[in-house]
Amino acid sequence: MSAPVLSVDDLSVEFATREGTVHAVRHVGLDVHAGRTLAILGESGSGKSVTAQAIMGLLDTPPARVSSGSIVFEGTDLVGASERTRMRINGEGIAMVFQDALSALNPVYTVGDQISELLRVRRKLSRSAARARAIELMERVRIPAAARRVDDYPHQFSGGMRQRIMIALAVALNPRVLIADEPTTALDVTVQAQIMELLTELRRENGMGLVLITHDLGVVAEVADDVVVMYSGRIVERGSVEELFQRPAHPYTRGLLRSMPRPDREDDELWAIPGAPPSPLRAPGGCAFNPRCDAVVDVCRTDQPELRLIAAGRHSACHLSQEVFDGRA
Ligand code: ADP
Ligand code: MG
């Protein structure tokens, strides 16, 4: 594999709140490669969005703080980078599709004006060239009758079509990396599949690195090449999608796989990992997963397990990783 386009190392992000410091993300490391899809998988509150927002430079001002680590994009560390560097890289280097397309689009401008504005400012296109390119982009994300709909306002589009417009905006400057944060959560199942297909197609055509944030294992199985699994702000497991599904090395990943609906097995009812993830202000000592873990031993309640290499390309943060991996725990 070639060198990563984007490499995050030891990233920690905290928020100052009235109740104390929230350690939302701790020591997260991940690599994004051109033309590959990296899924960030985890339950709600595990730190997926905070990781993405930190990569976009949205958490550089109080109460948020990047308290450790580096975010290296094509050789430039974005942590502590100048405003100018950020402005250059956001959109052209790294772009993001947010979860909620409706609130991310401006309701008082037509979608064509919103796409054109970006192209006029960043690409210095003339008004007519920007409009033509906006229509092209809308066609590219398969909005029917784009040439007519370019003058419509966001509320005149369905949720799925609005998400396509968000994607058109995100890819307008041909970014090297596209981050999609739960891009289909608010959409119905058929539309979800279409949006995922569109993202995968754009990744392939543009050779982008795609970072897909999701809590849906089915989506991961379908589209990801590499996976990082997050729990309570930390990465608990990392590996290729095939290996992770065939042989999970962390009890949390094993639990997630077990709770996945299986169309080929209708006999047993849906299983769920018992309990709920901890609040970051009240995380238990030792491994944050220990109260819910089916393989827990004493050391899990006292010591934080390190993310360790357990096999080629496989990392797991569990005191019993090797045993879980070998099927002995
Ligand atoms: P998710 O994996 O669901 O995307 P997030 O990354 O949004 O999770 O959140 C991770 C943790 O950081 C959560 O516990 C959340 O409460 C906390 N958090 C996120 N944003 C803020 C904020 N602005 N202030 C305080 N805590 C925050
Ligand atoms: Mg989120």
Side-chain angles (χ1 to χ4, degrees), residues 21 23 26 231-234 276-291 301 304:
T21 302
H23 298 276
R26 300 198 205 220
Y231 188 81
S232 191
R234 295 179 195 262
S279 136
L281 284 165
R282 277 170 289 278
C287 171
F289 187 60
N290 87 67
R301 299 191 181 92
Q304 176 65 52

Side-chain angles (χ1 to χ4, degrees), residues 26-30 40 46 51 227-238 250 304-307 315-317:
R26 300 198 205 220
H27 311 296
V28 159
L30 49 88
I40 303 181
S46 56
T51 300
V227 188
V228 302
V229 183
M230 291 190 70
Y231 188 81
S232 191
R234 295 179 195 262
I235 291 182
V236 294
E237 173 154 17
R238 190 162 68 188
H250 196 285
Q304 176 65 52
E306 298 281 317
L307 187 65
H315 289 80
S316 170

Side-chain angles (χ1 to χ4, degrees), residues 8-291:
V8 174
D9 186 41
D10 191 39
L11 178 71
S12 302
V13 181
E14 53 190 45
F15 295 94
T17 74
R18 242 177 299 165
E19 291 162 273
T21 302
V22 171
H23 298 276
V25 163
R26 300 198 205 220
H27 311 296
V28 159
L30 49 88
D31 288 337
V32 182
H33 293 270
R36 288 177 75 85
T37 301
L38 171 74
I40 303 181
L41 175 69
E43 283 166 293
S44 176
S46 56
K48 305 182 298 296
S49 294
V50 168
T51 300
Q53 287 160 10
I55 292 172
M56 296 306 294
L58 302 173
L59 300 178
D60 291 341
T61 47
R65 187 168 85 95
V66 174
S67 56
S68 79
S70 58
I71 300 168
V72 177
F73 175 77
E74 290 180 342
T76 305
D77 187 357
L78 302 180
V79 174
S82 67
E83 188 86 344
R84 228 180 110 193
T85 303
R86 264 293 177 194
M87 297 273 285
R88 179 170 55 80
I89 287 171
N90 281 16
E92 289 181 48
I94 313 172
M96 183 157 160
V97 178
F98 294 88
Q99 187 167 340
D100 184 358
L102 190 53
S103 63
L105 288 166
N106 191 326
V108 306
Y109 293 104
T110 66
V111 300
D113 281 348
Q114 295 183 55
I115 303 173
S116 301
E117 174 69 10
L118 178 70
L119 295 163
R120 294 182 66 193
V121 171
R122 300 288 295 268
R123 286 281 187 261
K124 312 283 180 237
L125 295 190
S126 68
R127 188 180 288 273
S128 62
R131 183 183 160 88
R133 179 79 183 119
I135 295 171
E136 262 173 45
L137 282 160
M138 287 172 69
E139 283 167 348
R140 181 105 191 266
V141 298
R142 299 226 186 76
I143 291 176
R148 179 165 55 78
R149 302 224 61 191
V150 68
D151 295 319
D152 285 349
Y153 291 87
H155 75 266
Q156 293 173 280
F157 292 85
S158 67
M161 287 296 152
R162 277 198 292 265
Q163 195 53 289
R164 287 173 190 270
I165 292 161
M166 285 306 299
I167 293 169
L169 271 166
V171 300
L173 304 176
N174 274 319
R176 306 306 308 142
V177 174
L178 179 65
I179 304 176
D181 189 356
E182 312 228 19
T184 62
T185 305
L187 308 173
D188 74 50
V189 178
T190 326
V191 181
Q192 281 184 15
Q194 291 164 357
I195 296 285
M196 287 319 309
E197 203 170 303
L198 173 63
L199 287 170
T200 303
E201 188 184 301
L202 291 169
R203 171 189 55 79
R204 209 168 33 228
E205 283 172 12
N206 293 11
M208 295 183 299
L210 178 62
V211 180
L212 180 69
I213 295 178
T214 181
H215 59 263
D216 187 335
L217 266 177
V219 167
V220 173
E222 199 97 326
V223 304
D225 298 301
D226 309 300
V227 188
V228 302
V229 183
M230 291 190 70
Y231 188 81
S232 191
R234 295 179 195 262
I235 291 182
V236 294
E237 173 154 17
R238 190 162 68 188
S240 77
V241 71
E242 296 85 7
E243 290 171 3
L244 203 114
F245 272 72
Q246 265 166 30
R247 217 173 157 191
H250 196 285
Y252 178 57
T253 316
R254 191 169 63 181
L256 287 176
L257 289 173
R258 200 179 149 199
S259 62
M260 198 176 161
R262 294 261 307 259
D264 57 319
R265 245 191 7 214
E266 39 188 88
D267 47 313
D268 49 349
E269 55 205 79
L270 215 51
W271 182 85
I273 303 172
S279 136
L281 284 165
R282 277 170 289 278
C287 171
F289 187 60
N290 87 67

